[in-house]
Amino acid sequence: MTSPSPVAVRRVPRHRRLEDASDAGLPEVCHATVASHGGATGGALLDVPDPATGEPLLRVEDAGPQTAAVAASTTARVARGDWAWLAQEDRARWLYVLAAELEARARPVGLTSALVTGRPVAAALHTDAARLVDAAFSAAGWADKLPAVGLRPRRGGAVVLRSSWRTPPAALAAAVTGALGVGLGVVLRPTPEAAPLALLLAGAVRAAGLPADLVSVVPGTAPGADKALLTHEDVLAAHADGGAEELRELAVALAELGRPLHERTDATGVDVVLDGADVEDVADALLDTVRGSAPARPGGSRVLVVAALADRLTERLTEGLAALRVGHPLDRATDVGPCPAADVHHRARALRGRRAALPGDLPAGGWWVLPTLVPLGRRAPVPPAGPVLGVRVVTGDDDVAPLLAGTTHLAVWGGDARRALRVLGAAAPRAVGLGGPATDDDAADALRLLRAVSS
C-alpha cells in the first residue's frame, strides 16, 4: 500500500458571506430552567469557547445539587399531574404540535450546532434539520399506539437525558418526544457546550403549549448535581453518551440503584472494503464521514481494505481530502469545520506527526485540524475523532474479525452475501450498512430507552 502524501487543503476565499449567527439566538448566559428558581441558580459561570476562534462564545451557570434535586422533583410532579393522565390520543396531538414547533426552529437549531460544535452549517441546516424533524414526528407518532411499539404508559416520573457535543439534535429530540409520549417528564442534563441546544428544545416544549417544567434543563458538570439527579427517587432511568469506560462506570452506579442506563457509546466506525467493491462509492461515503467530522464519529473511523483495492482507494481518498474546504462553520461552502472540543483537537492534531500550515483565512486560535489519512499498523490504536481516516490493509476475512472489537457502526462494501454476513457475525454493531454507510436510527434509539423504562 502506498503511503498517503500530506494532504493539501484548498484555501477558503476571503470575504465569503457567513450565515447570521444572531439567528441562532444564543443567550449570553445559559441558566437552569426550573421555574421556582427564576432562572439564575447561583452556580459558577463556565465559559464555552467558540471552536472557530477559541474565544468565549457564551457562559453557562453550573447548576448545583439543590437545583438538580428541585428540577427532578418539579418535572416529575408536573408529569404526574394533568400530563400523565391525558388520553394517549390527546398526548399525541400535543406532541405533533411540538414536532411542528421543532420544525419551525430548525434554522436556530442548525446554527447553534454549527456555532458550538463546529459542524459545517450546510450539513447542520439540511441533513441534521431533516433528521431532527423526522425523529420528532416519528416519536410523536408512537404516543397513541404505545402497545404496538412495545411500550406502556407511565403515570409520571422523569428520565434524565445527559447530552454533550456528541449528541445529535435528532437523537435528543426523539428521546424527549418519546419520553413525553409515554407520560414521563424529562430533565435535560447538558454539558456546557450542549446547553444552548437543550434550552432550544425546552423552549420549543413551552412554545407548543405543554406544561411548564415538563421538560427542565440543568446544565453544567458538577458531580454533586449528577448524583442528585441520578439518585433522585422520581428518576426512573437515564440516557447518556460518551466513551465506553465512562459509560460503564455510570451503568454500574445506576445498577446499584436498580435503575436502567441507556448507553449511546461514542460512534466508532469501521468500513470493510472487500473484493468487488466500487471504489468510487466507498470513497464518496468516506469523504462524507470526514465532512461530518467529530460529531459524526466521536469514536473515530477506520477503513479495512483488501490489498487488491488499497492503492486505488488510498489515491482516491487522498485526492478527495485535498479538495475539501476547511473553513468557518457558518460558511455554506465549508466542508470541514473546527473540532468541537480542545481535547479532540489535541489528539487529532498530534496524529499528523508534524506541524502542517493551516490556510491563512482561518481564524487564529480555533481548533482546526486538516483532513488526514493515516496508514495503520498492526498495533496502531483507533484514530481519534475529527477529520481523520485510518486505513489498514487486510489480506482476507480472517484478518478482519479481530479488528472489530468495540465497533458501533460497521459497513461492508463488496464481496458476496456470505462474506458480508461472516464479517458482520464477528461484531455486534448498533448500525450496519451493506454496500452503503452505517447510520443511526434516532427513533429506534429512543425506543430502546423507553422500553427499558416500560419493562
Side-chain angles (χ1 to χ4, degrees):
M1 174 180 172
T2 303
S3 296
S5 57
V7 175
V9 178
R10 181 179 298 173
R11 292 172 61 88
V12 179
R14 293 182 183 276
H15 309 303
R16 188 178 293 278
R17 181 177 177 274
L18 304 182
E19 294 292 322
D20 188 351
S22 66
D23 288 350
L26 292 182
E28 291 185 9
V29 180
C30 296
H31 298 287
T33 61
V34 184
S36 59
H37 279 287
T41 63
L45 292 179
L46 308 175
D47 286 333
V48 176
D50 181 342
T53 65
E55 298 296 321
L57 179 66
L58 54 89
R59 307 180 89 184
V60 172
E61 193 167 23
D62 195 11
Q66 182 180 359
T67 301
V70 170
S73 298
T74 304
T75 296
R77 174 176 51 77
V78 171
R80 282 193 298 268
D82 294 340
W83 181 253
W85 294 96
L86 285 176
Q88 293 181 28
E89 294 80 6
D90 291 332
R91 271 206 302 270
R93 281 191 283 270
W94 278 111
L95 294 178
Y96 278 118
V97 175
L98 170 58
E101 187 66 35
L102 289 172
E103 183 175 23
R105 296 177 183 226
R107 178 173 172 78
V109 168
L111 291 174
T112 296
S113 181
L115 285 166
V116 301
T117 72
R119 176 90 160 138
V121 72
L125 289 177
H126 298 297
T127 305
D128 297 352
R131 282 182 60 183
L132 170 75
V133 173
D134 288 347
F137 276 101
S138 177
W142 309 334
D144 59 353
K145 51 185 75 70
L146 297 180
V149 292
L151 301 177
R152 62 184 177 88
R154 301 288 305 214
R155 299 305 182 196
V159 293
V160 173
L161 304 181
R162 293 179 25 158
S163 60
S164 68
W165 62 262
R166 302 167 167 87
T167 311
L172 196 59
V176 169
T177 309
L180 296 178
V182 299
L184 294 168
V186 177
V187 180
L188 297 174
R189 175 62 170 158
T191 54
E193 76 281 357
L197 176 60
L199 290 171
L200 267 173
L201 292 181
V205 171
R206 292 192 298 274
L210 278 68
D213 288 333
L214 184 60
V215 174
S216 58
V217 182
V218 182
T221 60
D226 287 329
K227 183 177 180 180
L229 281 177
L230 298 175
T231 61
H232 196 283
E233 61 182 358
D234 289 321
V235 170
L236 304 180
H239 175 282
D241 52 18
E245 186 61 33
E246 172 191 2
L247 293 178
R248 190 177 300 114
E249 293 176 1
L250 182 59
V252 170
L254 285 177
E256 293 174 354
L257 299 171
R259 293 173 191 169
L261 170 69
H262 182 258
E263 306 172 17
R264 187 185 176 102
T265 308
D266 281 349
T268 301
V270 175
D271 287 77
V272 179
V273 185
L274 303 174
D275 297 308
D278 186 313
V279 170
E280 288 298 315
D281 287 348
V282 175
D284 287 344
L286 292 172
L287 291 171
D288 279 343
T289 297
V290 175
R291 290 186 184 95
S293 195
R297 294 277 177 87
S301 296
R302 288 178 293 160
V303 183
L304 307 179
V305 55
V306 294
L309 300 179
D311 286 342
R312 286 174 54 201
L313 181 60
T314 299
E315 180 180 2
R316 176 67 181 84
L317 289 174
T318 301
E319 293 172 353
L321 292 172
L324 296 179
R325 289 189 175 98
V326 178
H328 197 287
L330 292 184
D331 184 343
R332 283 184 178 261
T334 291
D335 294 309
V336 178
C339 292
D343 61 330
V344 175
H345 171 249
H346 175 75
R347 290 195 299 270
R349 190 74 184 269
L351 195 66
R352 293 188 64 89
R354 64 180 181 84
R355 290 287 181 179
L358 293 168
D361 299 24
L362 299 179
W367 297 329
W368 305 103
V369 175
L370 304 185
T372 306
L373 193 66
V374 182
L376 299 178
R378 181 175 298 275
R379 293 181 174 82
V382 175
V388 178
L389 282 176
V391 180
R392 177 170 173 176
V393 178
V394 293
T395 57
D397 300 351
D398 291 340
D399 275 359
V400 172
L403 303 174
L404 298 181
T407 299
T408 65
H409 292 63
L410 177 60
V412 182
W413 304 81
D416 56 30
R418 181 176 299 178
R419 289 185 69 189
L421 290 173
R422 187 159 59 245
V423 170
L424 291 174
R430 71 169 182 251
V432 171
L434 293 176
T439 56
D440 278 310
D441 184 333
D442 300 304
D445 194 53
L447 267 176
R448 287 190 288 271
L449 164 67
L450 298 175
R451 283 173 181 150
V453 177
S454 295
S455 62

